[in-house]
Amino acid sequence: MTHIVVLGSMNMDLVTYVAKAPQRGETVTGREFRTVPGGKGANQAIAAARAGATVSMIGAIGNDAFGLRMRDTLEHSGVDTDFLRTVEDPSGTAHIVVDDEGGNAIVVIPGANGTVDHLSPGDEAVIASADALLLQLEIPLAAVVAGARAARRHGVRTVLTPSPAQPLPPELLAATDLLVPNEYEAVTLTGRTDPREAAVALLELVPQVVVTLGATGCLYRARGTEPLVVPAPRVTAVDSTGAGDTFVGTLAVALAEEKPVREALSWAAAAAAISVQREGASASMPYRPEIDARFTA
């Protein structure tokens, strides 16, 4: 079975559902509030596990109720938590407002995630055993770089989601095999507002790029190949929180299973389309039989 390792964040998502998100200085009445385990790292781990991979999670939670619930959620989805640290800092939280069109705005407070600034004993060994390492930017960059370098030393594919958007150090880009930004992140990294131009610019930094385009689909570029655009299935979005992480986690599994690139992208897009039709992040992520049933080549 494919083995995916995720080095990244664990957050409790504090989600408020409103008809329309408030503007600065405005107060609105929401219709519902939920606490849902999330964080880009945990989300990608759960997505990959539900897509059929064996998954190990490297990260940190607090010694609190949120931390216990997040660990239980990972384990319930089949994610190995042997490399998940428990620290004295409070667990990370993400404060999310979701409007009736399925859009969202998010404020992340790192908490325990901020303590993941290095690899702990055993982390490199589990990375070395993987088919792919998934990375994001909700933990300190020092750990992200260390993880990417460990993967490179052992010939493990690295998949980086550059979120939250920020400039990336050359040593991280040099150890990245596949970069998966959304449109906003691609602009931040390149200054190019057109996704096609941004993808070309990013190929000067990494060998492969997938720019996700929301409801439109995604754009794939690799050095020496023609661009590949894969449309997203048409669905009515309820909550887009976690859709990008669903896409990345599922895509990593498909590529590790050596599916052709177009098929892998379409399979991941099908998973993301299922997720946006449900509320929540990790709670919305589909299992492999659901993805297979929705997938069309």
Side-chain angles (χ1 to χ4, degrees):
M1 183 178 289
T2 297
H3 182 204
I4 304 293
V5 172
V6 181
L7 170 59
S9 58
M10 301 277 300
N11 292 322
M12 183 61 73
D13 293 346
L14 310 178
V15 190
T16 300
Y17 295 92
V18 298
K20 183 179 179 181
Q23 301 298 310
R24 184 175 183 179
E26 180 183 11
T27 299
V28 301
T29 300
R31 59 178 171 79
E32 189 177 359
F33 172 77
R34 293 184 181 181
T35 56
V36 183
K40 297 194 73 64
N43 287 344
Q44 292 183 7
I46 290 171
R50 292 185 178 183
T54 296
V55 180
S56 301
M57 178 76 200
I58 302 173
I61 52 175
N63 186 22
D64 51 30
F66 284 168
L68 290 172
R69 185 176 168 195
M70 288 189 287
R71 183 186 291 274
D72 287 346
T73 298
L74 285 176
E75 293 174 349
H76 182 72
S77 291
V79 177
D80 172 22
T81 62
D82 287 349
F83 300 91
L84 186 62
R85 316 166 194 173
T86 300
V87 299
E88 292 304 315
D89 296 58
S91 295
T93 53
H95 304 253
I96 305 172
V97 176
V98 180
D99 63 35
D100 281 352
E101 295 182 358
N104 63 68
I106 306 173
V107 175
V108 174
I109 299 176
N113 297 306
T115 69
V116 186
D117 57 4
H118 62 281
L119 296 183
S120 291
D123 289 350
E124 181 161 348
V126 73
I127 291 171
S129 71
D131 295 293
L133 172 68
L134 305 191
L135 300 164
Q136 321 79 34
L137 303 177
E138 290 184 341
I139 60 173
L141 265 177
V144 178
V145 172
R149 284 177 164 174
R152 180 53 52 91
R153 282 193 292 273
H154 298 283
V156 175
R157 183 201 305 264
T158 54
V159 181
L160 173 63
T161 304
S163 176
Q166 58 188 277
L168 299 177
E171 58 268 33
L172 176 57
L173 291 166
T176 297
D177 296 302
L178 173 61
L179 187 69
V180 191
N182 62 22
E183 291 177 88
Y184 174 76
E185 292 151 3
V187 170
T188 299
L189 292 173
T190 67
R192 312 289 180 86
T193 56
D194 181 270
R196 292 177 182 270
E197 293 180 3
V200 171
L202 290 170
L203 284 183
E204 298 178 6
L205 306 174
V206 295
Q208 293 179 294
V209 177
V210 176
V211 180
T212 58
L213 307 172
T216 304
C218 64
L219 168 65
Y220 170 81
R221 288 301 309 262
R223 291 171 181 168
T225 68
E226 293 298 313
L228 176 61
V229 177
V230 175
R234 292 188 176 183
V235 297
T236 300
V238 172
D239 182 357
S240 61
T241 309
D245 296 326
T246 301
F247 179 88
V248 172
T250 308
L251 177 62
V253 175
L255 293 175
E257 293 178 354
E258 299 185 349
K259 294 183 188 294
V261 171
R262 181 182 290 274
E263 180 180 334
L265 293 167
S266 295
W267 200 61
I274 295 170
S275 75
V276 301
Q277 296 177 81
R278 304 169 177 172
E279 293 182 341
S282 60
S284 71
M285 295 174 174
Y287 288 87
R288 189 175 188 117
E290 298 177 277
I291 304 170
D292 288 339
R294 185 67 176 82
F295 166 71
T296 53

